[in-house]
Amino acid sequence: MAEETKVEDKTVEAAEAAAEVKEEVKPNPLERKVEILLDRKEVEKQVAKGLRERGKKARFHGFRPGKAPAAMVAAAYGREVEYDVINKLAIDEYIKKIEEGKYRVSGMPDIAPTEGAPADADKISFTATFEVFPEVTVPDVKDVEVTKYECELTDENVNKTIDVMRKQRATYNPTEKAAADTDEVTVDFKGTLDGEAFAGGTASDYKFILGAGRMLAEFENGIRGMKPGETKTFPVTFPENYPSKELAGKTVEFEATLKAVGEEVLPALDDEFAKSLQIESFEKMKNDVKDNLQREVEARLQARTKQSAMSALLSVSDFPLPHAAVEEQRQALIHDAVEKMKLQGIKLQPQDIPASAMLQEATQRVRLGLEISTLVEKENLQGTDEQVKALAENIAKSYEDPKEVVDWYINNPQHKAELAAVATENNVVDWVLKNAKVKNEKIPFENLMADRA
């Protein structure tokens, strides 16, 4: 008896929980329904016409093509033809209703027979259920804080960049000295795990620059200080996040022979160095480097500021979203992710990705897209031809023939449209900066350039 009581209690709890869940399901404020009435005689007329067309080509055993009795054709194809006719007429009527009501529809409709519709000898009733896009107003951002990022490009930054270019063109002279950072070393090595060689752990005449970080730090420590001809055995512990599961977090032993050391020789910073880079003089090279860095700095600052502005728009956005639009965006993001993984050699199908994946990003993209569209329309923020040309000219500065590049953008409709979209987005960012609370924040050059986002 006590056991029965427990079962009853659990049943009651389950029922109460189900009731609570049911209460939480809110009606979709963007859902709309329209009634579609089809004339039964018109349906029958179209079905008869469709069966006649089928009958002309239909093949039945014992009859020549197109000579089968109408009753036989109707028995074989009647349901299919009726479905096609009703489907076409219902969609045509749905489109008329949408145009009459001036609905801004999101996604495909669900058209089904009207539940509980009274029997009507003359009409067939359907209900089309669909979502519409919400009414979006210009957002109020006056109380929202937006960060405008700044960075000063100094001569030191320019000189360091030139030093990197210089090191990329270094030569290496053979030496008998002990291996040190910046030297090019040639090594034979063999790695073993528990006494057994492991895949990828053996190489001959392997060259790398000591201290450049191309090899594991412990491996470089083992080589540092060795002299040509010297052989040495030392342990190396692989990081926990190492791609190879066999080696991740494991300690192995390497036996290495240093075969040669090359001492770094840097080219002189003069006109000859510039000419090796197809630039007429060192002074011009330095100016070009500065100009290119300045463009890169501005682009990165603009990207960071844009991100802050878009976050500001999202923070004041409060309107319902059509589920269809969000799902369409989510599927697009999943498709892009699958394609990127394919390029990395990872085989993955869209159905392998959880339903919740990409949902937040898809939601934000749809919300931001509707917000921006509203701003562009109501605040007249569409990119102008002058802005598009200015963007093209800025891109063209780093090319040998700037005019040719500008013409390539301006005279190609697709490329021009891409720049117009960028100009429009810039206008939106400027609008946010003009109307929100702006906080200026300086970023060190090194931090800005290290940011891969």
Side-chain angles (χ1 to χ4, degrees), residues 389 392-412:
K389 186 177 180 182
E393 288 173 344
N394 190 53
I395 295 171
K397 285 179 182 178
S398 58
Y399 288 85
E400 194 171 318
D401 188 346
K403 184 180 182 305
E404 183 180 356
V405 176
V406 171
D407 289 343
W408 185 79
Y409 275 104
I410 300 301
N411 297 327
N412 183 301

Side-chain angles (χ1 to χ4, degrees), residues 66-67 161 184 220 233 253 255 338 341 351 359 388 392 413 419:
K67 298 300 182 180
T161 302
E184 180 186 66
E220 290 197 346
T233 301
E253 275 202 344
E255 181 184 281
V338 169
M341 288 181 182
Q351 56 267 28
L359 181 58
V388 169
L419 287 187

Side-chain angles (χ1 to χ4, degrees), residues 123-142:
K123 301 290 181 181
I124 306 174
S125 177
F126 291 89
T127 298
T129 304
F130 54 94
E131 285 185 298
V132 297
F133 284 101
E135 292 297 324
V136 182
T137 58
V138 173
D140 182 3
V141 295
K142 67 177 184 297

Side-chain angles (χ1 to χ4, degrees), residues 69-248:
M72 187 175 288
V73 176
Y77 299 109
R79 283 182 174 275
E80 181 183 344
V81 171
E82 184 181 39
Y83 174 84
D84 290 343
V85 167
I86 290 177
N87 191 52
K88 181 182 183 306
L89 292 175
I91 290 175
D92 289 345
E93 190 63 24
Y94 163 75
I95 292 172
K96 288 180 184 177
K97 293 279 187 179
I98 294 303
E99 291 175 348
E100 289 171 2
K102 297 181 180 179
Y103 295 107
R104 294 174 58 232
V105 177
S106 171
M108 299 297 293
D110 176 24
I111 301 177
T114 302
E115 291 185 13
D120 190 326
D122 298 325
K123 301 290 181 181
I124 306 174
S125 177
F126 291 89
T127 298
T129 304
F130 54 94
E131 285 185 298
V132 297
F133 284 101
E135 292 297 324
V136 182
T137 58
V138 173
D140 182 3
V141 295
K142 67 177 184 297
D143 295 323
V144 181
E145 189 174 85
V146 179
T147 304
K148 183 177 182 181
Y149 294 93
E150 300 172 346
C151 177
E152 181 185 0
L153 178 66
T154 65
D155 289 341
E156 182 184 359
N157 301 143
V158 175
N159 292 335
K160 282 184 178 180
T161 302
I162 292 174
D163 282 340
V164 172
M165 297 168 61
R166 191 184 183 200
K167 283 181 176 293
Q168 290 171 344
R169 287 153 185 82
T171 56
Y172 297 89
N173 289 340
T175 179
E176 293 299 316
K177 75 178 186 65
D181 285 350
T182 74
D183 289 340
E184 180 186 66
V185 294
T186 305
V187 184
D188 290 349
F189 59 84
K190 179 181 180 180
T192 56
L193 175 62
D194 298 329
E196 297 292 330
F198 55 86
T202 302
S204 298
D205 293 329
Y206 190 82
K207 292 184 178 182
F208 64 95
I209 306 302
L210 197 57
R214 180 178 171 185
M215 307 293 284
L216 291 175
E218 287 187 21
F219 187 89
E220 290 197 346
N221 287 339
I223 301 299
R224 194 176 284 110
M226 290 177 65
K227 291 186 177 182
E230 184 180 350
T231 298
K232 183 179 176 182
T233 301
F234 51 87
V236 171
T237 301
F238 283 87
E240 293 289 345
N241 61 349
Y242 194 70
S244 169
K245 293 181 180 179
E246 178 193 1
L247 299 174

Side-chain angles (χ1 to χ4, degrees), residues 226-395:
M226 290 177 65
K227 291 186 177 182
E230 184 180 350
T231 298
K232 183 179 176 182
T233 301
F234 51 87
V236 171
T237 301
F238 283 87
E240 293 289 345
N241 61 349
Y242 194 70
S244 169
K245 293 181 180 179
E246 178 193 1
L247 299 174
K250 301 289 181 61
T251 298
V252 304
E253 275 202 344
F254 276 101
E255 181 184 281
T257 299
L258 183 61
K259 300 181 75 173
V261 176
E263 191 172 18
E264 180 184 52
V265 178
L266 297 174
L269 294 177
D270 54 19
D271 289 348
E272 289 303 314
F273 175 58
K275 288 175 182 176
S276 71
L277 299 171
Q278 310 300 315
I279 303 174
E280 58 194 49
S281 68
F282 179 74
E283 190 63 29
K284 186 177 187 310
M285 185 194 81
K286 190 171 182 178
N287 290 334
D288 287 351
V289 169
K290 184 175 182 179
D291 290 344
N292 289 334
L293 282 178
Q294 189 63 55
R295 278 192 291 273
E296 182 66 20
V297 164
E298 289 172 0
R300 290 178 180 238
L301 289 173
Q302 192 172 36
R304 276 182 174 244
T305 301
K306 170 191 162 186
Q307 188 175 17
S308 180
M310 297 305 164
S311 295
L313 288 177
L314 283 172
S315 71
V316 295
S317 168
D318 184 23
F319 49 82
L321 298 178
H323 302 312
V326 173
E327 179 58 18
E328 183 180 346
Q329 182 64 59
R330 191 183 76 86
Q331 291 296 338
L333 289 170
I334 287 176
H335 176 269
D336 290 346
V338 169
E339 291 303 311
K340 286 180 181 177
M341 288 181 182
K342 281 183 183 178
L343 296 176
Q344 298 172 14
I346 302 172
K347 292 183 179 180
L348 195 67
Q349 297 300 322
Q351 56 267 28
D352 297 330
I353 298 177
S356 59
M358 312 291 185
L359 181 58
Q360 183 177 358
E361 184 178 353
T363 301
Q364 288 184 346
R365 286 197 178 196
V366 173
R367 186 175 295 284
L368 200 53
L370 291 172
E371 196 86 90
I372 289 174
S373 296
T374 300
L375 270 173
V376 170
E377 178 187 354
K378 297 186 176 179
E379 297 294 319
N380 193 26
L381 302 179
Q382 189 67 46
T384 64
D385 286 343
E386 290 77 12
Q387 289 173 324
V388 169
K389 186 177 180 182
L391 286 171
E393 288 173 344
N394 190 53
I395 295 171

